[in-house]
Amino acid sequence: MNAAAPKLSPGLYIVATPIGNLGDLSPRAAAVLAGADLLAVEDSRVTAGLLRHIGMKRPMTPYHDHNAEEVRPGLIARLATEAIALVSDAGTPLISDPGFKLVRDARAAGHSVVTIPGPCAAVAALTLAGLPTDRFLFLGFLPPKAGARAAAIAEVAAVRATLVLYESGPRLAGCLAALADGLGYREAAVTREITKRFEEAVTGTLSTLAARYADTPPRGEIVIVVAPPGDPAPASADDADAALTEALTRLSAARAAGEVAKRLGLDRRALYARALTLKD
Ligand code: SAM
């Protein structure tokens, strides 16, 4: 079944697999799956489906959240002589999926660790959302309970980056409402079923999206992408007066105007004129 596959050198191979469209399995990922001595998989039924698609059968062993502690030492020992491919049910292992301790321990034991990058729902969602991608923060799944979820949102409210979250259909509206409560007015996108037949990206503000999904939880797999906070509101005349009044207790009118102009991003000449008035 696997006779033609070139033998891989021993070590851990992190293999990304499709998130829906099996055509997204890269030739290199297929070659590594074919050449590995063992596949460490989340769910052997899921990976068997992928292997069937490429016409191969490989030995598999389960590696998931419930058995990882127990089976990891055995896998690490086998890496000395065997090529083991870590595969999750879909997408990139370690991204909201098990694996980082396996990578850490494999490297600590002196074994080679190689990655075969490929599909990842978070990155695919960013490419669909039409929101800034220069800085983004991946939050995985937020806690399901309202209090813990609100706390997690509050923690990132001031972060000047696009936020990327995984969520399920039944919890989508609640999560969007909590995001709207905690983050205020923000553009966002709900991306769904990426690479599959019903792939879509629905955009709007957090509150309009929350309302849209309130009564009709969508089916399928979902990534929420939220725009970064907007620029802060420009300083008001009262802010400028307060800052100038304080600065005038330490500085001349010209220097006070210069300092406040820099700090609040306002016009220095206008502030100088105002400083002279305030001084009188
Ligand atoms: N490791 C995976 C990756 O690289 O994206 C993510 C695994 S995480 C357990 C599964 C979550 O990823 C889903 O609940 C969903 O939020 C998101 N996801 C996976 N496939 C997706 C798809 N085709 N479209 C939208 N979201 C997807």
Side-chain angles (χ1 to χ4, degrees):
M1 195 58 73
N2 192 37
K7 178 105 185 87
L8 293 173
S9 47
L12 180 63
Y13 294 77
I14 311 299
V15 182
T17 58
I19 56 170
N21 187 326
L22 295 179
D24 291 337
L25 186 76
S26 74
R28 183 170 172 235
V32 168
L33 295 179
D37 298 299
L38 178 70
L39 311 186
V41 303
E42 256 192 297
D43 182 336
S44 54
R45 288 161 306 180
V46 175
T47 304
L50 176 67
L51 295 180
R52 255 196 315 280
H53 171 73
I54 51 176
M56 80 174 69
K57 270 190 177 165
R58 303 303 301 135
M60 290 187 256
T61 191
Y63 185 81
H64 47 64
D65 285 338
H66 305 293
N67 75 351
E69 296 303 315
E70 203 184 311
V71 304
R72 196 180 314 117
L75 289 176
I76 299 293
R78 290 179 70 168
L79 287 172
T81 53
E82 294 179 74
I84 300 180
L86 177 69
V87 180
S88 54
D89 284 353
T92 300
L94 283 81
I95 307 301
S96 280
D97 271 334
F100 91 86
K101 291 180 182 168
L102 190 60
V103 169
R104 180 191 64 191
D105 292 0
R107 184 167 296 114
H111 303 307
S112 131
V113 179
V114 175
T115 191
I116 292 80
C120 174
V123 173
L126 276 167
T127 67
L128 280 178
L131 295 171
T133 53
D134 52 335
R135 300 183 81 205
F136 60 88
L137 177 63
F138 175 61
L139 298 174
F141 291 93
L142 291 182
K145 293 205 172 135
R149 183 171 62 191
I153 293 170
E155 208 179 341
V156 299
V159 173
R160 300 189 70 75
T162 292
L163 305 176
V164 184
L165 304 90
Y166 288 162
E167 193 47 281
S168 70
R171 285 208 287 258
L172 177 65
C175 181
L176 289 166
L179 287 164
D181 273 357
L183 305 178
Y185 181 95
R186 297 247 192 133
E187 293 295 327
V190 172
T191 62
R192 202 170 65 82
E193 294 290 86
I194 302 170
T195 76
K196 303 184 203 177
R197 182 159 173 222
F198 296 108
E199 172 178 299
E200 68 174 5
V202 178
T203 59
T205 63
L206 283 170
S207 53
T208 55
L209 288 170
R212 175 187 170 127
Y213 291 109
D215 298 324
T216 47
R219 289 169 188 274
E221 300 197 276
I222 293 161
V223 183
I224 304 171
V225 185
V226 184
D231 290 332
S236 67
D238 286 349
D239 294 334
D241 278 2
L244 274 177
T245 307
E246 187 283 322
L248 284 169
T249 63
R250 301 178 280 111
L251 302 168
S252 68
R255 282 179 181 272
E259 181 187 277
V260 174
K262 205 167 166 190
R263 180 143 55 89
L264 300 185
L266 298 173
D267 179 63
R268 192 184 58 77
R269 283 204 300 186
L271 286 171
Y272 177 62
R274 182 69 184 150
L276 293 178
T277 312
L278 287 173
K279 237 179 148 181
D280 291 343

